[in-house]
Amino acid sequence: MMQAARLHEIGGRFVVDQIPVPTPGPHDVLLKVAASGIIPNLKNVTTHFPEWYPFLPLPQLPAIFGLDSAGTVAAVGSAVTSFKPGDRVYVNPGVGCGECRHCREGDAPRCESYTFMGYFGFGPGSKDVFKRYSYAGYGQYMTAHTHNLVRLPDCLSFVEATRFGYLGTAYAAIRKAELRPSQNILILGASGTLGVGATLLALAFGASRVLVVARDKEALERLQALDPRRVIPVQLGNGSIQEQVRAVLPSGVDSMLDTLGAKAPTELSVDAMGAVARGGRIVQIGGVAGPIPIYPHPFMCAQLQYIGSLWFTTTQGEEMASMVEAGILNLSQLESRAYPLEQLNEALEDIQSQGNGFTNFHILHQ
C-alpha cells in the first residue's frame, strides 16, 4: 500500500488516501516519486475546468493529480531493457495514444489524444490515456512508459527536475522561434514561472539581448542580475512596449515569446508584437485569453510568423538535462519551496498569494 493525495469532487480538497501500489505494464516502469511540482493553475483546473473548458477532459474521480515528477525507478516491466531499478529519472507527463503518426514520429504533443498525466487532457481519447496511467505525482509511486522518461545526471536534483514542465515549454518555444546565438528575443510576462525559465533558456541559447517585459520592478531587477550585459528590462506602465523596445533596438527583436496567462489583457500581446522585426517569429505559450487581431497584409509584407506551441517532447527534455550537465543551463537561481504530501492543500493556497517566477513550489515525498 502507499499514500496518495486524491481529489474526490470538483472544487473539493485533496485527501490523502491509502491505495495499492500500481503494477507497471510491459513497457512501463514503477517510479518511487521523490518530488513533484505544484502548478499555480492546478486549483483552477480542479475547480473551474469542467465549466470553463468542458472540452478538456479531467481524470475520473477520485483521481491522483501531480505533474513534473522525478524519482528513482523501483521496478521495470517485462519488456523494458533500457532502464533498471535505481535509475534517476524525470517523467514527462505528456502522453499520446502511442499509435498515431505523430506518436510514432516522437511528436506526441500533436496527437489528438494528448494528455497530461495527473492534470487534464486535450481530446476524447484522453479518457483512455487516463485509464492506462491513473497514477501521478501526488502519490508515493506511479507508473510511466519508458518513452516518457528523461535520465537525470547526478548534478541535477529531483527538485530541480520538477521545474522541467515550465522549462520544457519555453525550450520547445525557443526551438520553434529558431533563435540563434547573437539574435535578440523579447519575453512578455518574464517575471512569471514560465517567463523566468524562458529567460534562463534564452541566455543558454546564446541570445545577445534578452528583453524581459514585466510590471514588477523588483522582479525585473532580479532578471537583469542574471546577466546585466544581455538582459534588458522593459517595465509595463512606462509607455508602449514596442516604443521602449525600439528605443533600444530600432530594428526590433528577432523573436518573441508570449508567456502571459489567461488573466492578462490581450492589448499587451498586441503591443509587444509591434516590437518584432521583419521576418520575426512570435510564439504563444502562455494562453492569453481573448482574440488577438492579426492583419494578414502587414504580416505578409513583414513576413512575420505567429506560432502556437504546446509542452515539449521527451527528447527535448533529455536535451535540457544535457545542458544542465554541461553547465550551459544554470538553474541555481531557482529557490526551493517544499511541502509534504499532507500539506498539498495549503501549498495550493500559498502559491496563489506567494508564488513568483523564481520560487519552485513542490511536494517532497518522504
Side-chain angles (χ1 to χ4, degrees), residues 289-313:
I292 293 178
I294 292 178
Y295 299 98
H297 194 268
F299 254 69
M300 176 188 72
C301 293
Q303 300 186 82
L304 296 171
Q305 297 182 47
Y306 189 92
I307 304 167
S309 184
L310 174 69
W311 209 243
F312 63 103
T313 67

Side-chain angles (χ1 to χ4, degrees), residues 243-326:
E243 289 177 357
Q244 291 189 68
V245 171
R246 290 188 181 271
V248 179
L249 300 171
S251 297
V253 294
D254 298 292
S255 57
M256 164 186 160
L257 300 189
D258 189 342
T259 75
L260 294 177
K263 295 181 181 179
T266 56
E267 290 80 7
L268 295 177
S269 296
V270 175
D271 185 6
M273 286 164 56
V276 179
R278 296 177 66 86
R281 291 177 171 84
I282 302 155
V283 187
Q284 174 61 246
I285 52 176
V288 63
I292 293 178
I294 292 178
Y295 299 98
H297 194 268
F299 254 69
M300 176 188 72
C301 293
Q303 300 186 82
L304 296 171
Q305 297 182 47
Y306 189 92
I307 304 167
S309 184
L310 174 69
W311 209 243
F312 63 103
T313 67
T314 301
T315 297
Q316 290 170 337
E318 292 173 340
E319 292 168 357
M320 288 194 301
S322 294
M323 291 173 72
V324 173
E325 186 175 26

